[in-house]
Amino acid sequence: MKEPLVPVVPMSHTAHIRSHRKPRRGATSSIALRAGVAGGVLSMAAAGASASANAAEPVTQTIELPTLTADLSAQVAQSAAATQQAAANYELRAERDAAAAKAAAEAKKDLVEAKKKAEAKKKAAEAARKAAAERAARNAERATLTASASTSTSASTSVSAPASGSVATVIAFLKAQVGDAYVMGATGPNAWDCSSLVQAAYKQVGVDLPRVSQDQSMAGTDVPLSDIQVGDILYWGGKGSAYHVGVYIGDGQYLDAANPSKGVVIQDLSGYPASGAVRVL
């Protein structure tokens, strides 16, 4: 019987040398190692937790974004309100400036109007003074004429009627002057005022009348207007203060030097009734 084969394991060429591996640590060393490992793990875990906490801060900031947005919106709103208020202030200032400019223009216009009114009043006052002076001069002239003609007036009132045909001569002279101009103070031959025309007409038949209408209204004999005849002198105004005279020519008409616009004309007595009448022929 064959012997069982024993496997042969080749040995290493260093098998005869003591092993250089470190001796195994004891149980105490193993526990310490494990504790250190555990501590390291815990430290790493704490560090991880700390890192996680640090990593969570942006999340907190992200959560605060709505608050920041609200603050920003409030600031924008305040800025817009301030801008709007500034615009309103500018607009108000512009309105005030415009109102001030308008007021200044109106004041200037009022000043110009006031100056114009003052000038107009001044001119009116000067015209009134001039008219008063002219009236005073005329009154003085009339007073002089009245004083100088007082004697002739008395003579005229006592004059007897001239010979037949004298009235016709007066009327013929008057009608020959129709169309002549009226000029205050004129005495002919182509321009007359009311009293100078009457005086000239009666002078043709030898009757010497006063120059002015006031005195002519006092000449001769008073005649009621209902009984007037051709050749009677008509006057307007009070007796002794008449402002106009003419001569009655019959058929309800009279002839006079009327005014600058009409001149010497024939008019209807009904359109301008006389105040009184005197007869010198």
Side-chain angles (χ1 to χ4, degrees):
M1 209 174 154
K2 292 182 178 180
E3 294 181 359
L5 297 176
V6 178
V8 178
V9 179
M11 294 181 66
S12 171
H13 63 280
T14 60
H16 64 280
I17 302 172
R18 289 183 68 175
S19 174
H20 293 284
R21 288 183 298 176
K22 292 181 180 181
R24 296 182 64 184
R25 296 177 181 175
T28 300
S29 298
S30 177
I31 291 172
L33 178 62
R34 292 176 182 176
V37 171
V41 172
L42 290 176
S43 297
M44 292 176 64
S50 176
S52 298
N54 292 333
E57 288 182 0
V59 175
T60 302
Q61 293 176 358
T62 303
I63 292 172
E64 292 176 354
L65 282 177
T67 303
L68 294 175
T69 303
D71 292 341
L72 182 60
S73 298
Q75 293 177 0
V76 171
Q78 291 177 356
S79 177
T83 302
Q84 186 176 4
Q85 183 62 41
N89 292 337
Y90 288 140
E91 183 177 0
L92 179 59
R93 185 179 302 172
E95 291 177 354
R96 290 177 178 174
D97 292 343
K102 183 177 179 181
E106 291 178 352
K108 184 177 181 180
K109 182 179 178 181
D110 292 341
L111 180 60
V112 172
E113 292 295 330
K115 288 182 178 179
K116 288 182 179 179
K117 290 181 179 179
E119 289 294 331
K121 288 183 178 179
K122 183 178 179 181
K123 290 180 179 179
E126 290 177 354
R129 285 194 296 269
K130 184 177 180 180
E134 291 176 352
R135 284 196 300 270
R138 286 197 299 269
N139 290 336
E141 181 181 1
R142 287 172 181 173
T144 302
L145 290 173
T146 300
S148 62
S150 58
T151 304
S152 61
T153 300
S154 299
S156 297
T157 58
S158 61
V159 170
S160 58
S164 177
S166 297
V167 173
T169 301
V170 170
I171 301 304
F173 176 85
L174 290 171
K175 288 185 177 180
Q177 314 311 314
V178 172
D180 284 356
Y182 175 98
V183 177
M184 175 66 74
T187 57
N190 298 315
W192 313 86
D193 61 19
C194 64
S195 58
S196 69
L197 178 62
V198 172
Q199 183 187 47
Y202 282 90
K203 192 173 183 179
Q204 304 302 310
V205 294
V207 177
D208 190 8
L209 291 176
R211 170 67 180 83
V212 295
S213 59
Q214 294 91 332
D215 294 332
Q216 288 177 3
S217 67
M218 299 292 291
T221 304
D222 289 337
V223 178
L225 290 174
S226 59
D227 294 332
I228 57 175
Q229 297 177 4
V230 175
D232 288 344
I233 298 174
L234 304 176
Y235 64 84
W236 285 259
K239 186 175 179 66
S241 59
Y243 58 85
H244 187 65
V245 290
V247 177
Y248 185 65
I249 62 173
D251 297 327
Q253 295 181 320
Y254 66 96
L255 189 152
D256 68 337
N259 52 52
S261 63
K262 290 183 178 181
V264 178
V265 292
I266 296 174
Q267 305 189 81
D268 289 333
L269 190 57
S270 60
Y272 190 34
S275 301
V278 294
R279 185 172 295 162
V280 296
L281 291 177

